[in-house]
Amino acid sequence: MDIAIVSRLGKLEFMAQALSEALPEARFFHWPEPEALSADIALCWAPEPGVLARMPNLRLIHSIGAGVDSILADPHLPPVPICRIRDEGLARAMADYVLWSVLYFHRQFDRVIVNAGQHIWHRYEQRAREKMRVGIMGLGSIGSEVASVLSQHGYPVSGWARSRKDMAGVDVYAGDAELPNFLESANVLVCLLPLTAETEGILNHRHLSMLPEDASLILCSRGEHLVVEDLLELVKSGHVRGAILDVFTSEPLPACSPLWSTPGILVTPHMSGLAKPRDIASQIAENIARLERGETPHSVIDPSVGY
Ligand code: OXD
């Protein structure tokens, strides 16, 4: 079995290393080595468009992350299944990140940190947890975990998804028609949507202005969801209180980006959830074994919806 690792980020040695323990007989090639083009399986992160179409033996494309947007951006994909990573550890880590971020705004650490820098002792009134409604955009495996952790911590939680779902303890809104009502009630908006043509730029002036006064944003899906200038304008005008941003259209975020220095905005380095290479490798190995047995691999995505 020949496995190609195809990424514009260069050689992902850690992936070959983790997988060779699980698949000792496999041979690994890193695109652009010419042998990579004859591989049966492609493990991808941001592949160069057109490369996968040049692999005649390809039977499976596997993302090495939870997202597949960087694969689906290739307009010439061959007709083989595309799988993603679905990792409980990653979902739990993202839930921790979001919980911390919600507490940061709820308990006003954003303001206290600014005051501390100026040696100001000021005790803010404590806002009741019940009055901090958290609105989660995207109720897939990660969004559902985040919703359940926040609800267990006593926060009122709403969720918004393309289609309706039933989730205990979560007020679910669905589709474009219900987006305004969802946004109007969210004191903290958390974006965990997959990146698709429909969701790109969804965090724009129109939608962010629907949030109540003093609401905050937590973004840990993709940078392309956010229209940065619109957020900057709404934070400067005070309509949006602040934001914690973990993902950006260009990563690392360039030093000249105004996001680094705008008061109220905290930048973190795409750290909200990192799956362990060993866990990624064991899911990929399991999917390859299923393919060999003629079974459908786990976590196959639907390219027509984008996740
Ligand atoms: C992922 C990510 O998609 O880390 O796994 O963004």
Side-chain angles (χ1 to χ4, degrees), residues 45 63-69 85 90 220-222 247 270 273-275:
W45 188 258
S63 170
I64 62 165
V68 284
D69 45 289
I85 295 298
L90 178 138
C220 26
S221 46
R222 286 291 180 260
V247 286
H270 200 146
L274 301 174

Side-chain angles (χ1 to χ4, degrees), residues 201-209 225-227 230-231 234:
I202 195 165
L203 301 173
N204 54 28
H205 199 284
R206 189 162 81 87
H207 289 147
L208 292 174
S209 320
H225 286 128
L226 176 67
V227 181
D230 292 356
L231 174 70
L234 288 162

